[in-house]
Amino acid sequence: VEEDLAGRDFTVNAMAFDLRTDELIDPFGGREDISAKVLRAVSKDALSADPLRCLRAVYICARCGLYPDSATLRQIEASAPDLADIAPERIAEELKKIVLLPKPSTAFRLCRDWGLLPHFLPELTACEGVTQEGGWHAHDVFEHLMATIDSAPPRLAVRLAALFHDIGKPARRKYIPERDRAIFYGHQNLGERMARKALLRLMFSKELAERVAVLVRFHMFTQAQTDKGVRRFIRKVGVELLDDLFDLRFADIEAQGTDRDKRPDEEFRARIEKILSEKPPLSYKDLTVDGNDVMRLLNISAGPRVGEALEHLLQIVLDEPSKNDRETLLKIIESMKAEGA
């Protein structure tokens, strides 16, 4: 047992219990380190043997309130560059645990302070010190991201979207001296691409990367003013993403630190719920006609033109749900044929 424990990472993880004798086997003083709230490496090469242990150190310290002793901290800082050589899917597993901590910002600040961040999330490092003059934000971009992820509910997609939602701001920052204001036009579109690229680089699933990227793209949404606009908003975002998007939105508002009024977004959310309760047509499957009708009436075979015709019909019924009547839509398809569509 002692030989096995000697190969572990930290003393707090290098303990065992003998069920036959009720004896704690603690050859490296892990129990004392827990009491002293110290994280200590089992050996002088424990972290260089597997640099991923640097991220485990972050997780343990953030979760349990420990802090590395000076020798272990030196090991962490020395091994930090080797994170770049670790299999990305292993980093992703540690990142998931960090992101879902009760207060993830504690872990990310340790990553920053110990020099780990540039070696697995350089996009986040670039946000440090990027100021946001203009009255909308009380913090720089990095601190705003930290406050947002802490405010977001502990669901992986929402937490990752909170972490990445303003990741495009450093590259889009433009300062206007005469107004003492910084603007970040288009940062949500750049952020979408950056989030997707970073998550795929870390070997997160394509489904999760796409979900997070879409949340980043739409986090700057404006409230639609008409029922028609609300239906189009729902169609554009997707019903399955609405809860995540609003959770991200409210976390973003909270993290701005400027006491911004949430009521307009709460009212918009209520309007969406009301529209959804009416079960309007929002996708092709909700139409009273299908691709077979389109192919038959337009005398075409399966292909892009079928999708284009269905999209045209969907746009019509998004504006006027009452037109989602089979006879009405069949007549519209017939008119498309007459017009050469």
Side-chain angles (χ1 to χ4, degrees):
V1 172
E2 287 82 357
E3 184 178 350
D4 177 79
L5 296 178
R8 302 294 177 87
D9 47 11
F10 306 106
T11 61
V12 297
N13 288 334
M15 295 182 284
F17 192 78
D18 192 327
L19 296 176
R20 298 168 301 177
T21 63
D22 289 341
E23 176 190 6
L24 178 68
I25 303 171
D26 183 14
F28 303 102
R31 180 165 57 178
E32 292 178 5
D33 284 344
I34 290 174
S35 297
K37 293 194 174 299
V38 171
L39 186 73
R40 190 187 313 275
V42 168
S43 65
K44 60 181 175 54
D45 58 356
L47 298 181
S48 60
D50 184 1
L52 188 70
R53 289 172 169 176
C54 296
L55 290 183
R56 291 182 189 153
V58 167
Y59 175 75
I60 293 170
C61 288
R63 181 182 178 186
C64 303
L66 307 185
Y67 198 81
D69 70 323
S70 57
T72 301
L73 182 56
R74 286 195 296 271
Q75 281 199 51
I76 292 171
E77 292 171 340
S79 299
D82 296 327
L83 275 175
D85 299 324
I86 296 296
E89 57 267 29
R90 296 184 69 211
I91 292 178
E93 287 304 313
E94 294 301 319
L95 185 57
K96 287 177 188 177
K97 293 191 293 185
I98 288 172
V99 163
L100 294 175
L101 282 166
K103 191 176 180 181
S105 66
T106 300
F108 283 109
R109 289 193 178 95
L110 291 178
C111 287
R112 175 197 62 191
D113 296 345
W114 297 348
L116 303 173
L117 208 53
H119 304 293
F120 73 99
L121 270 183
E123 298 90 347
L124 200 54
T125 301
C127 295
E128 292 185 69
V130 179
T131 56
Q132 304 189 82
E133 297 87 349
W136 288 98
H137 289 271
H139 313 293
D140 69 19
V141 175
F142 179 85
E143 290 302 328
H144 171 66
L145 294 177
M146 294 299 97
T148 306
I149 195 171
D150 284 350
S151 298
R155 298 196 305 276
L156 185 59
V158 181
R159 283 279 178 89
L160 287 171
L163 183 66
F164 284 107
H165 77 281
D166 279 349
I167 208 77
K169 278 189 170 181
R172 289 290 182 265
R173 184 180 185 274
K174 180 180 180 181
Y175 180 63
I176 306 174
E178 59 272 20
R179 298 170 60 187
D180 188 27
R181 182 184 177 192
I183 57 175
F184 305 90
Y185 290 146
H187 77 273
Q188 66 273 30
N189 298 319
L190 175 60
E192 173 196 0
R193 298 192 294 272
M194 291 178 67
R196 183 185 292 109
K197 183 178 180 180
L199 292 172
L200 292 177
R201 181 183 74 232
L202 292 171
M203 303 300 288
F204 282 92
S205 71
K206 290 182 180 179
E207 180 183 4
L208 178 63
E210 190 59 30
R211 188 178 189 93
V212 172
V214 172
L215 291 172
V216 172
R217 183 203 317 165
F218 288 122
H219 82 273
M220 293 285 289
F221 69 80
T222 55
Q223 297 89 357
Q225 300 302 309
T226 64
D227 287 354
K228 175 171 65 175
V230 173
R231 289 189 293 269
R232 287 184 173 274
F233 175 82
I234 296 170
R235 163 68 178 168
K236 181 170 62 175
V237 173
V239 175
E240 70 283 356
L241 284 184
L242 288 173
D243 287 340
D244 285 356
L245 183 61
F246 275 92
D247 282 339
L248 173 60
R249 177 72 153 216
F250 291 128
D252 188 12
I253 293 172
E254 182 70 25
Q256 288 173 358
T258 56
D259 295 322
R260 176 177 155 189
D261 189 358
K262 295 181 181 179
R263 284 175 298 181
D265 290 292
E266 291 169 342
E267 292 168 0
F268 185 44
R269 185 72 174 105
R271 287 181 61 206
I272 288 175
E273 291 291 348
K274 180 179 181 297
I275 293 290
L276 287 174
S277 70
E278 298 167 358
K279 300 187 183 304
L282 297 169
S283 66
Y284 298 162
K285 66 181 178 59
D286 298 324
L287 296 173
T288 54
V289 296
D290 59 21
N292 291 323
D293 295 310
V294 171
M295 289 187 286
R296 175 173 54 84
L297 292 174
L298 295 185
N299 194 26
I300 59 176
S301 56
R305 288 185 61 197
V306 177
E308 292 168 3
L310 290 173
E311 182 62 28
H312 177 68
L313 297 174
L314 181 59
Q315 294 303 317
I316 290 172
V317 301
L318 282 172
D319 288 351
E320 298 182 63
S322 62
K323 289 188 174 181
N324 192 31
D325 169 79
R326 181 167 174 79
E327 291 304 317
T328 300
L329 294 187
L330 289 174
K331 289 179 181 178
I332 293 174
I333 297 172
E334 288 281 8
S335 69
M336 293 167 63
K337 180 178 181 180
E339 294 167 2

